PDB file of all heavy atoms in Angstrom:
ATOM      1  N   SER A   1    -166.852-183.424 -82.813  1.00 94.00           N
ATOM      2  CA  SER A   1    -168.026-183.332 -81.945  1.00 94.00           C
ATOM      3  C   SER A   1    -168.143-184.534 -81.026  1.00 94.00           C
ATOM      4  O   SER A   1    -168.748-184.440 -79.954  1.00 94.00           O
ATOM      5  CB  SER A   1    -169.301-183.205 -82.790  1.00 94.00           C
ATOM      6  OG  SER A   1    -169.520-184.374 -83.569  1.00 94.00           O
ATOM      7  N   ARG A   2    -167.571-185.665 -81.417  1.00 93.00           N
ATOM      8  CA  ARG A   2    -167.608-186.864 -80.579  1.00 93.00           C
ATOM      9  C   ARG A   2    -166.314-187.075 -79.789  1.00 93.00           C
ATOM     10  O   ARG A   2    -166.340-187.592 -78.682  1.00 93.00           O
ATOM     11  CB  ARG A   2    -167.877-188.110 -81.431  1.00 93.00           C
ATOM     12  CG  ARG A   2    -169.330-188.259 -81.864  1.00 93.00           C
ATOM     13  CD  ARG A   2    -169.542-189.578 -82.579  1.00 93.00           C
ATOM     14  NE  ARG A   2    -170.945-189.774 -82.942  1.00 93.00           N
ATOM     15  CZ  ARG A   2    -171.827-190.452 -82.226  1.00 93.00           C
ATOM     16  NH1 ARG A   2    -171.455-191.023 -81.090  1.00 93.00           N
ATOM     17  NH2 ARG A   2    -173.076-190.583 -82.633  1.00 93.00           N
ATOM     18  N   THR A   3    -165.183-186.713 -80.380  1.00 95.00           N
ATOM     19  CA  THR A   3    -163.911-187.043 -79.746  1.00 95.00           C
ATOM     20  C   THR A   3    -163.354-185.918 -78.882  1.00 95.00           C
ATOM     21  O   THR A   3    -162.527-186.164 -78.012  1.00 95.00           O
ATOM     22  CB  THR A   3    -162.853-187.387 -80.811  1.00 95.00           C
ATOM     23  OG1 THR A   3    -162.596-186.219 -81.602  1.00 95.00           O
ATOM     24  CG2 THR A   3    -163.329-188.525 -81.699  1.00 95.00           C
ATOM     25  N   GLY A   4    -163.777-184.685 -79.163  1.00 95.00           N
ATOM     26  CA  GLY A   4    -163.220-183.551 -78.440  1.00 95.00           C
ATOM     27  C   GLY A   4    -161.855-183.120 -78.946  1.00 95.00           C
ATOM     28  O   GLY A   4    -161.226-182.237 -78.370  1.00 95.00           O
ATOM     29  N   VAL A   5    -161.391-183.734 -80.046  1.00 96.00           N
ATOM     30  CA  VAL A   5    -160.078-183.424 -80.616  1.00 96.00           C
ATOM     31  C   VAL A   5    -160.220-183.317 -82.130  1.00 96.00           C
ATOM     32  O   VAL A   5    -160.933-184.107 -82.748  1.00 96.00           O
ATOM     33  CB  VAL A   5    -159.045-184.526 -80.270  1.00 96.00           C
ATOM     34  CG1 VAL A   5    -157.688-184.191 -80.869  1.00 96.00           C
ATOM     35  CG2 VAL A   5    -158.929-184.694 -78.767  1.00 96.00           C
ATOM     36  N   ASN A   6    -159.518-182.358 -82.716  1.00 97.00           N
ATOM     37  CA  ASN A   6    -159.542-182.157 -84.159  1.00 97.00           C
ATOM     38  C   ASN A   6    -158.194-182.504 -84.766  1.00 97.00           C
ATOM     39  O   ASN A   6    -157.149-182.104 -84.252  1.00 97.00           O
ATOM     40  CB  ASN A   6    -159.879-180.692 -84.476  1.00 97.00           C
ATOM     41  CG  ASN A   6    -159.878-180.401 -85.964  1.00 97.00           C
ATOM     42  OD1 ASN A   6    -160.655-180.985 -86.705  1.00 97.00           O
ATOM     43  ND2 ASN A   6    -158.989-179.511 -86.395  1.00 97.00           N
ATOM     44  N   ILE A   7    -158.217-183.266 -85.870  1.00 98.00           N
ATOM     45  CA  ILE A   7    -156.980-183.511 -86.615  1.00 98.00           C
ATOM     46  C   ILE A   7    -156.768-182.313 -87.538  1.00 98.00           C
ATOM     47  O   ILE A   7    -157.531-182.112 -88.484  1.00 98.00           O
ATOM     48  CB  ILE A   7    -157.054-184.803 -87.448  1.00 98.00           C
ATOM     49  CG1 ILE A   7    -157.522-185.986 -86.605  1.00 98.00           C
ATOM     50  CG2 ILE A   7    -155.681-185.110 -88.056  1.00 98.00           C
ATOM     51  CD1 ILE A   7    -157.743-187.270 -87.393  1.00 98.00           C
ATOM     52  N   ALA A   8    -155.760-181.523 -87.280  1.00 98.00           N
ATOM     53  CA  ALA A   8    -155.517-180.302 -88.035  1.00 98.00           C
ATOM     54  C   ALA A   8    -155.086-180.628 -89.464  1.00 98.00           C
ATOM     55  O   ALA A   8    -154.470-181.673 -89.720  1.00 98.00           O
ATOM     56  CB  ALA A   8    -154.439-179.467 -87.355  1.00 98.00           C
ATOM     57  N   PRO A   9    -155.398-179.751 -90.424  1.00 98.00           N
ATOM     58  CA  PRO A   9    -155.003-180.001 -91.815  1.00 98.00           C
ATOM     59  C   PRO A   9    -153.515-180.287 -91.984  1.00 98.00           C
ATOM     60  O   PRO A   9    -153.139-181.153 -92.781  1.00 98.00           O
ATOM     61  CB  PRO A   9    -155.413-178.706 -92.524  1.00 98.00           C
ATOM     62  CG  PRO A   9    -156.580-178.212 -91.736  1.00 98.00           C
ATOM     63  CD  PRO A   9    -156.246-178.539 -90.305  1.00 98.00           C
ATOM     64  N   GLN A  10    -152.664-179.579 -91.262  1.00 98.00           N
ATOM     65  CA  GLN A  10    -151.229-179.825 -91.386  1.00 98.00           C
ATOM     66  C   GLN A  10    -150.870-181.233 -90.929  1.00 98.00           C
ATOM     67  O   GLN A  10    -149.992-181.880 -91.516  1.00 98.00           O
ATOM     68  CB  GLN A  10    -150.438-178.782 -90.587  1.00 98.00           C
ATOM     69  CG  GLN A  10    -148.926-178.874 -90.757  1.00 98.00           C
ATOM     70  CD  GLN A  10    -148.464-178.592 -92.185  1.00 98.00           C
ATOM     71  OE1 GLN A  10    -149.025-177.738 -92.870  1.00 98.00           O
ATOM     72  NE2 GLN A  10    -147.443-179.313 -92.621  1.00 98.00           N
ATOM     73  N   THR A  11    -151.556-181.714 -89.912  1.00 98.00           N
ATOM     74  CA  THR A  11    -151.322-183.081 -89.445  1.00 98.00           C
ATOM     75  C   THR A  11    -151.805-184.093 -90.482  1.00 98.00           C
ATOM     76  O   THR A  11    -151.137-185.108 -90.731  1.00 98.00           O
ATOM     77  CB  THR A  11    -152.035-183.311 -88.097  1.00 98.00           C
ATOM     78  OG1 THR A  11    -151.573-182.334 -87.157  1.00 98.00           O
ATOM     79  CG2 THR A  11    -151.753-184.703 -87.551  1.00 98.00           C
ATOM     80  N   VAL A  12    -152.953-183.822 -91.096  1.00 98.00           N
ATOM     81  CA  VAL A  12    -153.437-184.688 -92.179  1.00 98.00           C
ATOM     82  C   VAL A  12    -152.403-184.729 -93.298  1.00 98.00           C
ATOM     83  O   VAL A  12    -152.108-185.793 -93.864  1.00 98.00           O
ATOM     84  CB  VAL A  12    -154.801-184.204 -92.713  1.00 98.00           C
ATOM     85  CG1 VAL A  12    -155.254-185.074 -93.885  1.00 98.00           C
ATOM     86  CG2 VAL A  12    -155.843-184.202 -91.614  1.00 98.00           C
ATOM     87  N   PHE A  13    -151.843-183.567 -93.633  1.00 98.00           N
ATOM     88  CA  PHE A  13    -150.819-183.492 -94.682  1.00 98.00           C
ATOM     89  C   PHE A  13    -149.617-184.368 -94.341  1.00 98.00           C
ATOM     90  O   PHE A  13    -149.124-185.135 -95.180  1.00 98.00           O
ATOM     91  CB  PHE A  13    -150.392-182.045 -94.884  1.00 98.00           C
ATOM     92  CG  PHE A  13    -149.208-181.877 -95.785  1.00 98.00           C
ATOM     93  CD1 PHE A  13    -149.283-182.223 -97.126  1.00 98.00           C
ATOM     94  CD2 PHE A  13    -148.011-181.366 -95.294  1.00 98.00           C
ATOM     95  CE1 PHE A  13    -148.179-182.079 -97.964  1.00 98.00           C
ATOM     96  CE2 PHE A  13    -146.910-181.215 -96.127  1.00 98.00           C
ATOM     97  CZ  PHE A  13    -146.994-181.569 -97.464  1.00 98.00           C
ATOM     98  N   GLU A  14    -149.139-184.275 -93.104  1.00 98.00           N
ATOM     99  CA  GLU A  14    -147.989-185.095 -92.703  1.00 98.00           C
ATOM    100  C   GLU A  14    -148.331-186.580 -92.764  1.00 98.00           C
ATOM    101  O   GLU A  14    -147.523-187.397 -93.225  1.00 98.00           O
ATOM    102  CB  GLU A  14    -147.543-184.707 -91.290  1.00 98.00           C
ATOM    103  CG  GLU A  14    -146.986-183.298 -91.171  1.00 98.00           C
ATOM    104  CD  GLU A  14    -145.740-183.067 -92.025  1.00 98.00           C
ATOM    105  OE1 GLU A  14    -144.960-184.029 -92.195  1.00 98.00           O
ATOM    106  OE2 GLU A  14    -145.571-181.936 -92.508  1.00 98.00           O
ATOM    107  N   LEU A  15    -149.538-186.935 -92.337  1.00 98.00           N
ATOM    108  CA  LEU A  15    -149.944-188.344 -92.345  1.00 98.00           C
ATOM    109  C   LEU A  15    -150.175-188.860 -93.758  1.00 98.00           C
ATOM    110  O   LEU A  15    -150.002-190.050 -94.027  1.00 98.00           O
ATOM    111  CB  LEU A  15    -151.206-188.519 -91.501  1.00 98.00           C
ATOM    112  CG  LEU A  15    -151.020-188.342 -89.993  1.00 98.00           C
ATOM    113  CD1 LEU A  15    -152.379-188.302 -89.283  1.00 98.00           C
ATOM    114  CD2 LEU A  15    -150.166-189.482 -89.411  1.00 98.00           C
ATOM    115  N   SER A  16    -150.542-187.972 -94.678  1.00 98.00           N
ATOM    116  CA  SER A  16    -150.799-188.399 -96.052  1.00 98.00           C
ATOM    117  C   SER A  16    -149.529-188.863 -96.762  1.00 98.00           C
ATOM    118  O   SER A  16    -149.609-189.479 -97.831  1.00 98.00           O
ATOM    119  CB  SER A  16    -151.445-187.257 -96.849  1.00 98.00           C
ATOM    120  OG  SER A  16    -150.506-186.223 -97.134  1.00 98.00           O
ATOM    121  N   LYS A  17    -148.381-188.582 -96.180  1.00 97.00           N
ATOM    122  CA  LYS A  17    -147.110-189.048 -96.752  1.00 97.00           C
ATOM    123  C   LYS A  17    -146.882-190.526 -96.486  1.00 97.00           C
ATOM    124  O   LYS A  17    -146.005-191.141 -97.111  1.00 97.00           O
ATOM    125  CB  LYS A  17    -145.954-188.227 -96.174  1.00 97.00           C
ATOM    126  CG  LYS A  17    -146.034-186.736 -96.482  1.00 97.00           C
ATOM    127  CD  LYS A  17    -144.938-185.968 -95.753  1.00 97.00           C
ATOM    128  CE  LYS A  17    -145.060-184.468 -95.964  1.00 97.00           C
ATOM    129  NZ  LYS A  17    -144.017-183.706 -95.208  1.00 97.00           N
ATOM    130  N   ILE A  18    -147.648-191.101 -95.554  1.00 98.00           N
ATOM    131  CA  ILE A  18    -147.520-192.531 -95.231  1.00 98.00           C
ATOM    132  C   ILE A  18    -148.327-193.316 -96.259  1.00 98.00           C
ATOM    133  O   ILE A  18    -149.516-193.050 -96.456  1.00 98.00           O
ATOM    134  CB  ILE A  18    -148.017-192.796 -93.804  1.00 98.00           C
ATOM    135  CG1 ILE A  18    -147.191-191.980 -92.804  1.00 98.00           C
ATOM    136  CG2 ILE A  18    -147.951-194.284 -93.479  1.00 98.00           C
ATOM    137  CD1 ILE A  18    -147.729-192.017 -91.377  1.00 98.00           C
ATOM    138  N   PRO A  19    -147.723-194.279 -96.940  1.00 97.00           N
ATOM    139  CA  PRO A  19    -148.375-194.900 -98.108  1.00 97.00           C
ATOM    140  C   PRO A  19    -149.759-195.481 -97.864  1.00 97.00           C
ATOM    141  O   PRO A  19    -150.627-195.374 -98.733  1.00 97.00           O
ATOM    142  CB  PRO A  19    -147.371-195.999 -98.507  1.00 97.00           C
ATOM    143  CG  PRO A  19    -146.055-195.486 -98.033  1.00 97.00           C
ATOM    144  CD  PRO A  19    -146.338-194.756 -96.762  1.00 97.00           C
ATOM    145  N   ASN A  20    -149.987-196.096 -96.702  1.00 97.00           N
ATOM    146  CA  ASN A  20    -151.291-196.745 -96.512  1.00 97.00           C
ATOM    147  C   ASN A  20    -152.303-195.885 -95.751  1.00 97.00           C
ATOM    148  O   ASN A  20    -153.410-196.338 -95.479  1.00 97.00           O
ATOM    149  CB  ASN A  20    -151.144-198.114 -95.840  1.00 97.00           C
ATOM    150  CG  ASN A  20    -150.489-198.063 -94.476  1.00 97.00           C
ATOM    151  OD1 ASN A  20    -149.646-197.201 -94.228  1.00 97.00           O
ATOM    152  ND2 ASN A  20    -150.856-198.986 -93.604  1.00 97.00           N
ATOM    153  N   ILE A  21    -151.973-194.640 -95.441  1.00 98.00           N
ATOM    154  CA  ILE A  21    -152.981-193.684 -94.977  1.00 98.00           C
ATOM    155  C   ILE A  21    -153.481-192.965 -96.223  1.00 98.00           C
ATOM    156  O   ILE A  21    -152.838-192.056 -96.748  1.00 98.00           O
ATOM    157  CB  ILE A  21    -152.425-192.710 -93.932  1.00 98.00           C
ATOM    158  CG1 ILE A  21    -152.041-193.478 -92.659  1.00 98.00           C
ATOM    159  CG2 ILE A  21    -153.452-191.625 -93.605  1.00 98.00           C
ATOM    160  CD1 ILE A  21    -151.511-192.613 -91.526  1.00 98.00           C
ATOM    161  N   VAL A  22    -154.624-193.418 -96.719  1.00 98.00           N
ATOM    162  CA  VAL A  22    -155.044-193.042 -98.070  1.00 98.00           C
ATOM    163  C   VAL A  22    -156.270-192.145 -98.106  1.00 98.00           C
ATOM    164  O   VAL A  22    -156.627-191.633 -99.174  1.00 98.00           O
ATOM    165  CB  VAL A  22    -155.310-194.301 -98.925  1.00 98.00           C
ATOM    166  CG1 VAL A  22    -154.046-195.147 -99.034  1.00 98.00           C
ATOM    167  CG2 VAL A  22    -156.453-195.127 -98.352  1.00 98.00           C
ATOM    168  N   ALA A  23    -156.961-191.971 -96.968  1.00 98.00           N
ATOM    169  CA  ALA A  23    -158.221-191.221 -97.006  1.00 98.00           C
ATOM    170  C   ALA A  23    -158.541-190.673 -95.626  1.00 98.00           C
ATOM    171  O   ALA A  23    -157.945-191.073 -94.618  1.00 98.00           O
ATOM    172  CB  ALA A  23    -159.366-192.107 -97.499  1.00 98.00           C
ATOM    173  N   ILE A  24    -159.510-189.759 -95.602  1.00 98.00           N
ATOM    174  CA  ILE A  24    -160.024-189.234 -94.340  1.00 98.00           C
ATOM    175  C   ILE A  24    -161.528-189.065 -94.444  1.00 98.00           C
ATOM    176  O   ILE A  24    -162.046-188.579 -95.465  1.00 98.00           O
ATOM    177  CB  ILE A  24    -159.350-187.899 -93.959  1.00 98.00           C
ATOM    178  CG1 ILE A  24    -159.848-187.394 -92.592  1.00 98.00           C
ATOM    179  CG2 ILE A  24    -159.543-186.839 -95.035  1.00 98.00           C
ATOM    180  CD1 ILE A  24    -159.009-186.259 -92.014  1.00 98.00           C
ATOM    181  N   LYS A  25    -162.234-189.517 -93.434  1.00 98.00           N
ATOM    182  CA  LYS A  25    -163.647-189.181 -93.260  1.00 98.00           C
ATOM    183  C   LYS A  25    -163.662-187.911 -92.425  1.00 98.00           C
ATOM    184  O   LYS A  25    -163.333-187.925 -91.239  1.00 98.00           O
ATOM    185  CB  LYS A  25    -164.403-190.305 -92.557  1.00 98.00           C
ATOM    186  CG  LYS A  25    -165.865-189.972 -92.290  1.00 98.00           C
ATOM    187  CD  LYS A  25    -166.569-191.069 -91.490  1.00 98.00           C
ATOM    188  CE  LYS A  25    -168.014-190.671 -91.181  1.00 98.00           C
ATOM    189  NZ  LYS A  25    -168.711-191.679 -90.349  1.00 98.00           N
ATOM    190  N   GLU A  26    -164.052-186.823 -93.049  1.00 98.00           N
ATOM    191  CA  GLU A  26    -163.924-185.498 -92.427  1.00 98.00           C
ATOM    192  C   GLU A  26    -165.300-184.950 -92.050  1.00 98.00           C
ATOM    193  O   GLU A  26    -166.177-184.816 -92.896  1.00 98.00           O
ATOM    194  CB  GLU A  26    -163.218-184.536 -93.383  1.00 98.00           C
ATOM    195  CG  GLU A  26    -162.997-183.145 -92.833  1.00 98.00           C
ATOM    196  CD  GLU A  26    -162.178-183.151 -91.558  1.00 98.00           C
ATOM    197  OE1 GLU A  26    -160.962-183.422 -91.622  1.00 98.00           O
ATOM    198  OE2 GLU A  26    -162.784-182.873 -90.497  1.00 98.00           O
ATOM    199  N   CYS A  27    -165.449-184.635 -90.765  1.00 97.00           N
ATOM    200  CA  CYS A  27    -166.693-184.048 -90.266  1.00 97.00           C
ATOM    201  C   CYS A  27    -166.554-182.571 -89.937  1.00 97.00           C
ATOM    202  O   CYS A  27    -167.512-181.957 -89.462  1.00 97.00           O
ATOM    203  CB  CYS A  27    -167.178-184.811 -89.032  1.00 97.00           C
ATOM    204  SG  CYS A  27    -167.558-186.542 -89.351  1.00 97.00           S
ATOM    205  N   ASN A  28    -165.384-182.016 -90.154  1.00 96.00           N
ATOM    206  CA  ASN A  28    -165.136-180.598 -89.909  1.00 96.00           C
ATOM    207  C   ASN A  28    -165.026-179.893 -91.254  1.00 96.00           C
ATOM    208  O   ASN A  28    -163.945-179.751 -91.823  1.00 96.00           O
ATOM    209  CB  ASN A  28    -163.860-180.421 -89.085  1.00 96.00           C
ATOM    210  CG  ASN A  28    -163.632-178.981 -88.670  1.00 96.00           C
ATOM    211  OD1 ASN A  28    -164.350-178.075 -89.082  1.00 96.00           O
ATOM    212  ND2 ASN A  28    -162.618-178.758 -87.843  1.00 96.00           N
ATOM    213  N   PHE A  29    -166.180-179.470 -91.764  1.00 97.00           N
ATOM    214  CA  PHE A  29    -166.229-178.908 -93.124  1.00 97.00           C
ATOM    215  C   PHE A  29    -165.319-177.703 -93.288  1.00 97.00           C
ATOM    216  O   PHE A  29    -164.779-177.461 -94.368  1.00 97.00           O
ATOM    217  CB  PHE A  29    -167.675-178.529 -93.469  1.00 97.00           C
ATOM    218  CG  PHE A  29    -167.836-177.954 -94.845  1.00 97.00           C
ATOM    219  CD1 PHE A  29    -167.830-178.780 -95.953  1.00 97.00           C
ATOM    220  CD2 PHE A  29    -167.970-176.589 -95.032  1.00 97.00           C
ATOM    221  CE1 PHE A  29    -167.956-178.250 -97.235  1.00 97.00           C
ATOM    222  CE2 PHE A  29    -168.105-176.054 -96.307  1.00 97.00           C
ATOM    223  CZ  PHE A  29    -168.096-176.884 -97.412  1.00 97.00           C
ATOM    224  N   SER A  30    -165.120-176.940 -92.225  1.00 96.00           N
ATOM    225  CA  SER A  30    -164.366-175.689 -92.332  1.00 96.00           C
ATOM    226  C   SER A  30    -162.923-175.899 -92.768  1.00 96.00           C
ATOM    227  O   SER A  30    -162.273-174.954 -93.220  1.00 96.00           O
ATOM    228  CB  SER A  30    -164.387-174.947 -90.987  1.00 96.00           C
ATOM    229  OG  SER A  30    -163.694-175.680 -89.991  1.00 96.00           O
ATOM    230  N   GLN A  31    -162.416-177.142 -92.650  1.00 97.00           N
ATOM    231  CA  GLN A  31    -161.020-177.351 -93.016  1.00 97.00           C
ATOM    232  C   GLN A  31    -160.839-178.235 -94.249  1.00 97.00           C
ATOM    233  O   GLN A  31    -159.707-178.583 -94.604  1.00 97.00           O
ATOM    234  CB  GLN A  31    -160.238-177.924 -91.836  1.00 97.00           C
ATOM    235  CG  GLN A  31    -160.688-179.261 -91.316  1.00 97.00           C
ATOM    236  CD  GLN A  31    -159.912-179.656 -90.051  1.00 97.00           C
ATOM    237  OE1 GLN A  31    -159.490-178.803 -89.255  1.00 97.00           O
ATOM    238  NE2 GLN A  31    -159.694-180.938 -89.877  1.00 97.00           N
ATOM    239  N   VAL A  32    -161.934-178.576 -94.914  1.00 98.00           N
ATOM    240  CA  VAL A  32    -161.836-179.453 -96.081  1.00 98.00           C
ATOM    241  C   VAL A  32    -161.008-178.814 -97.196  1.00 98.00           C
ATOM    242  O   VAL A  32    -160.142-179.455 -97.798  1.00 98.00           O
ATOM    243  CB  VAL A  32    -163.236-179.832 -96.604  1.00 98.00           C
ATOM    244  CG1 VAL A  32    -163.151-180.566 -97.940  1.00 98.00           C
ATOM    245  CG2 VAL A  32    -163.956-180.703 -95.587  1.00 98.00           C
TER     246      VAL A  32
END
């Protein structure tokens, strides 16, 4: 709602493989 861009779940999955990307503050409930 603020950025105009959504981080898709698949992208979160790919980023979660990086050791120090450990969490997400998620404002898009539909994809939790």
Side-chain angles (χ1 to χ4, degrees):
S1 64
R2 284 186 177 264
T3 65
V5 180
N6 178 61
I7 309 175
Q10 185 64 37
T11 303
V12 177
F13 171 65
E14 294 299 327
L15 290 170
S16 72
K17 299 174 184 178
I18 300 172
N20 60 329
I21 295 182
V22 300
I24 183 167
K25 177 184 177 183
E26 181 58 71
C27 298
N28 186 354
F29 180 77
S30 65
Q31 61 186 31
V32 171

